[in-house]
């Protein structure tokens, strides 16, 4: 996973928000699962049956050392080893923007998962806009910390982009959470102008 900002315990600050979206005893597939912290959290707190896919061999080894079921693989190549609707939830946390074929990755996760949980940094967040406008440089922030020459992000998107994509591809958004500094933001400015005020978006989506 990419662009993570962590707590003092080394856990990504949106993990608890994702955990709240998941029912106990669910079957979970975590795409780009990194070191396996989210899978381990869900296993301990929600008694889930979880699997993961991670491209880094080093991180796969760390997952296996945690007792997790994780395989090495590239999600850009698809999920052909998994049958339709074989998982209750497929998670793609802060990874979509670093895939080469995000539309194909979304199509595959929606095929495999009854529901999917997707999070990404919102490139239209007001601080990012202002940074770009006033400095003329590619923006950097807590969730977009890289330089232009070493960033893993190749398909940055906004909340508005995702709504338009979902409408075009008949994706149903079941729930949307907008956060800044990993805290849920509520109020009319966030419900009406999330594309401007939210630093990150977390969506629960599905497709018939």
């Amino acid at each position: 996973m990419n662009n993570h900002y962590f707590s003092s315990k080394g856990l990504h600050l949106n993990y608890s928000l994702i955990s709240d979206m998941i029912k106990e005893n669910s079957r979970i597939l975590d795409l780009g699962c990194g070191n396996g912290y989210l899978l381990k959290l869900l296993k301990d707190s929600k008694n889930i049956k979880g699997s993961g896919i991670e491209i880094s061999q080093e991180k796969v080894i760390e997952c296996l050392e945690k007792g997790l079921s994780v395989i090495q693989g590239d999600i850009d190549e698809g999920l052909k080893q998994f049958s339709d609707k074989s998982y209750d939830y497929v998670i793609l946390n802060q990874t979509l923007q670093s895939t080469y074929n995000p539309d194909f990755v979304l199509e595959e996760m929606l095929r495999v998962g009854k529901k999917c949980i997707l999070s990404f940094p919102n490139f239209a967040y007001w601080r990012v806009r202002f940074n770009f406008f006033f400095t003329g440089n590619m923006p950097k922030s807590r969730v977009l910390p890289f330089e232009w020459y070493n960033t893993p992000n190749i398909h940055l998107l906004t909340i508005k982009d995702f709504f338009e994509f979902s409408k075009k591809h008949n994706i149903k958004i079941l729930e949307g959470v907008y956060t800044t500094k990993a805290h849920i933001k509520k109020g009319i400015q966030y419900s009406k102008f999330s594309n401007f005020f939210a630093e990150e978006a977390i969506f629960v989506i599905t497709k018939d």
Side-chain angles (χ1 to χ4, degrees):
M1 292 181 289
N2 300 295
N3 298 336
H4 285 182
Y5 45 110
F6 293 87
S7 70
S8 59
K9 295 182 180 179
L11 298 179
H12 191 283
L13 294 176
N14 71 8
Y15 283 176
S16 62
L17 302 179
I18 292 174
S19 178
D20 289 342
M21 296 174 170
I22 292 173
K23 294 181 180 179
E24 292 188 1
N25 305 310
S26 297
R27 284 178 51 81
I28 304 293
L29 178 63
D30 189 1
L31 305 180
C33 62
N35 296 320
Y37 285 119
L38 178 57
L39 271 177
K40 186 69 166 59
L41 173 67
L42 293 172
K43 185 177 179 181
D44 293 342
S45 64
K46 292 296 183 79
N47 193 38
I48 60 96
K49 295 180 180 178
S51 303
I53 299 178
E54 170 58 42
I55 197 169
S56 166
Q57 183 177 6
E58 180 180 340
K59 291 179 180 179
V60 169
I61 292 172
E62 291 186 48
C63 291
L64 296 177
E65 290 173 346
K66 293 182 176 73
L68 301 171
S69 174
V70 173
I71 60 173
Q72 186 176 12
D74 185 350
I75 61 175
D76 271 307
E77 296 178 356
L79 305 171
K80 54 184 176 294
Q81 66 269 50
F82 302 104
S83 57
D84 296 359
K85 307 303 178 187
S86 53
Y87 285 89
D88 297 310
Y89 300 90
V90 176
I91 300 171
L92 189 67
N93 185 31
Q94 292 287 322
T95 303
L96 180 66
Q97 69 279 358
S98 63
T99 60
Y100 285 96
N101 302 295
D103 51 346
F104 176 62
V105 171
L106 283 169
E107 179 183 331
E108 279 288 87
M109 65 184 292
L110 285 162
R111 176 184 64 79
V112 171
K114 296 174 184 176
K115 294 181 181 178
C116 297
I117 297 177
L118 169 74
S119 76
F120 56 86
N122 175 32
F123 199 62
Y125 177 49
W126 72 268
R127 288 186 183 275
V128 174
R129 297 190 195 201
F130 280 34
N131 183 292
F132 187 78
F133 181 80
F134 286 110
T135 70
N137 298 115
M138 283 299 292
K140 292 198 299 181
S141 67
R142 180 175 37 254
V143 294
L144 295 167
F146 303 99
E147 301 288 351
W148 67 267
Y149 52 82
N150 64 8
T151 179
N153 299 316
I154 55 178
H155 285 110
L156 291 165
L157 71 157
T158 71
I159 292 170
K160 183 179 179 181
D161 286 328
F162 185 72
F163 273 108
E164 292 175 353
F165 178 90
S166 297
K167 184 177 181 180
K168 183 177 179 181
H169 292 83
N170 298 313
I171 295 171
K172 185 176 182 181
I173 298 175
L174 302 176
E175 182 180 355
V177 172
Y178 309 111
T179 72
T180 300
K181 297 182 180 179
H183 296 292
I184 296 176
K185 297 298 182 179
K186 297 180 180 180
I188 189 168
Q189 71 269 34
Y190 287 95
S191 60
K192 296 291 186 180
F193 305 106
S194 58
N195 198 50
F196 186 81
F197 286 107
E199 185 177 35
E200 178 187 17
I202 309 173
F203 291 109
V204 182
I205 59 177
T206 189
K207 190 173 185 180
D208 294 332

